[in-house]
Amino acid sequence: HSGDQIETVQRLIDLFNKGIYPVVRELGSLGASGDLAPLPHLVLPLLNLGEVNYGGKVFYSNEINSLFKLEPIKLKSKEGLALLNGTQFMSAHGVYVAMKARDLMVLSDIIAAMAVEAYNGRIDPFSPELHTIRPHTGQIRTSAAISEYLKGSSLINSDNKAVQDPYS
């Protein structure tokens, strides 16, 4: 029963939905959680302090709050501590990194499919039967993705394939 008031959380949501983002410095951190330097910058705009990015430009928070007729939030007991002493910045950064990793995995599958086609490779190694023998979900998904990208390829499906020793 301690933490942020609904009004504070709603204001953060409203700012985000209006495309108003707190300027949080990329470098500099402190403490065991690692969030004690960036988190104050995240909440300063609620207090009419700090800077925000709006429309691709940096403004002082009080200018944007005035433009949108937003009064500064009056923090309640322990609310400052709840806003500053957490791991929400690290958690958000972790989600961002996971999303980037997912994008890289998709791009890796596309690049692999392009390489198979460019080198006049064979589709046989991506047969689902070969990959379901081992229960590695990532391997199965990657094989299926590469097969899907190569579907309809005139090079891969060509009858002009030179027979190659399967061992090589």
Side-chain angles (χ1 to χ4, degrees), residues 67-80:
L67 178 69
F68 284 96
K69 296 177 178 44
L70 300 171
E71 293 295 321
I73 298 286
K74 298 212 184 315
L75 299 179
K76 304 264 174 141
S77 175
K78 296 185 182 179
E79 192 169 10

Side-chain angles (χ1 to χ4, degrees), residues 127-140:
S127 170
E129 295 80 17
L130 293 174
H131 297 280
T132 53
I133 293 171
R134 296 189 184 117
H136 302 298
T137 306
Q139 175 182 329
I140 293 167

Side-chain angles (χ1 to χ4, degrees), residues 15 19-25 41-42 44-46 49-65 68:
L15 291 174
I20 301 169
Y21 310 113
V23 172
V24 178
R25 304 294 170 212
H41 294 282
L42 187 67
L44 282 173
L46 302 176
L49 301 168
E51 297 173 326
V52 294
N53 186 311
Y54 177 65
K57 295 181 182 175
V58 175
F59 296 91
Y60 289 110
S61 297
N62 59 342
E63 296 172 310
I64 294 298
N65 287 341
F68 284 96

Side-chain angles (χ1 to χ4, degrees), residues 14 22 29 56 69 83 85 105-107 110 117 135 150 164 168:
D14 292 343
S29 199
K69 296 177 178 44
L83 288 167
N85 192 22
M105 288 189 315
V106 169
L107 290 173
I110 293 170
E117 188 168 41
L150 292 172
Q164 181 179 339
S168 65

Side-chain angles (χ1 to χ4, degrees), residues 23-25 27-31 33-42 44 84 89:
V23 172
V24 178
R25 304 294 170 212
L27 300 175
S29 199
L30 175 69
S33 72
D35 287 2
L36 293 177
L39 284 180
H41 294 282
L42 187 67
L44 282 173
L84 302 181
F89 190 80

